[in-house]
């Protein structure tokens, strides 16, 4: 039987700080912060967000009554159109791409750490495709599924 060594928590925390510093100095974080700054500086996006927030409050009021509210269809359509207008702005699309790239980096780091312990550890992601690619139910037990190996 092999002897287990106690984890030096101080060393572990110091190395986690080193890892977080490396992540913060990455291209992904730099591009994310720049895209966020540009989106926040986009006056049209900011104007649309103010309008969207006001319309969203109206939508929430209408939601209490659902499709029976006389303005339900009209307000629902306006909210969808405003959301789409915001999403089509170049600065918002650039921000979303940068956010996705950063999320992918953080997912890969988390997955590497988790799978160094066990391949069956689930690693949550904001991207359902990454989660589906990473594992089955995670147990490989009575349900009959098995953990898929990342390709």
């Amino acid at each position: 039987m092999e002897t287990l060594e106690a984890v030096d928590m101080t060393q572990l925390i110091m190395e986690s700080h080193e890892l977080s510093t490396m992540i913060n100095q990455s291209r992904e974080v730099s591009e994310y912060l720049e895209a966020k700054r540009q989106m926040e500086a986009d006056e049209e996006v900011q104007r649309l967000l103010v309008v969207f927030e006001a319309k969203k409050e109206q939508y929430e009021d209408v939601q209490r009554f659902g499709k029976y509210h006389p303005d339900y269809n009209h307000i629902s359509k306006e909210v969808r159109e405003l959301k789409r207008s915001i999403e089509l702005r170049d600065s918002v699309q650039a921000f979303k791409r940068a956010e996705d790239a950063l999320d992918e980096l953080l997912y890969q780091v988390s997955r590497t750490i988790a799978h160094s312990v066990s391949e069956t550890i689930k690693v949550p992601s904001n991207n359902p495709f990454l989660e589906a690619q990473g594992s089955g139910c995670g147990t490989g037990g009575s349900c009959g599924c098995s953990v898929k190996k990342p390709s």
Side-chain angles (χ1 to χ4, degrees):
M1 177 178 215
E2 70 181 83
T3 55
L4 299 175
E5 293 182 32
V7 173
D8 181 352
M9 288 302 288
T10 304
Q11 183 67 28
L12 189 62
I13 290 170
M14 285 175 39
E15 295 206 20
S16 70
H17 284 294
E18 186 177 325
L19 176 60
S20 67
T21 298
M22 290 172 65
I23 290 169
N24 280 324
Q25 294 172 348
S26 71
R27 176 182 47 85
E28 289 84 355
V29 169
S30 176
E31 290 175 358
Y32 168 81
L33 293 173
E34 178 58 23
K36 182 178 181 197
R37 187 194 64 70
Q38 287 182 9
M39 182 182 66
E40 289 171 347
D42 186 330
E43 292 177 12
E44 181 63 10
V45 168
Q46 297 311 308
R47 184 190 72 75
L48 287 169
L49 286 173
V50 169
V51 173
F52 180 77
E53 283 301 316
K55 196 54 72 176
K56 194 170 85 170
E57 285 181 27
Q58 287 180 334
Y59 178 76
E60 288 168 0
D61 286 341
V62 168
Q63 277 296 98
R64 290 189 318 218
F65 301 101
K67 63 184 177 182
Y68 301 107
H69 191 285
D71 293 332
Y72 177 80
N73 290 331
H74 175 70
I75 301 252
S76 295
K77 182 180 177 189
E78 284 182 340
V79 166
R80 283 192 311 274
E81 288 172 351
L82 271 168
K83 185 174 187 268
R84 183 77 177 141
S85 294
I86 293 167
E87 290 173 345
L88 288 174
R89 298 289 301 174
D90 289 341
S91 64
V92 173
Q93 289 182 359
F95 174 74
K96 294 266 187 201
R97 283 191 304 273
E99 187 177 51
D100 288 345
L102 178 55
D103 188 57
E104 167 71 12
L105 171 67
L106 295 172
Y107 171 77
Q108 292 300 335
V109 169
S110 298
R111 192 173 118 198
T112 300
I113 293 168
H115 289 181
S116 71
V117 175
S118 170
E119 290 286 328
T120 61
I121 294 177
K122 291 184 178 184
V123 181
S125 170
N126 291 329
N127 184 339
F129 296 112
L130 291 176
E131 284 194 44
Q133 168 190 8
S135 67
C137 74
T139 64
S142 62
C143 70
C145 88
S146 62
V147 176
K148 297 177 187 170
K149 299 289 183 197
S151 33

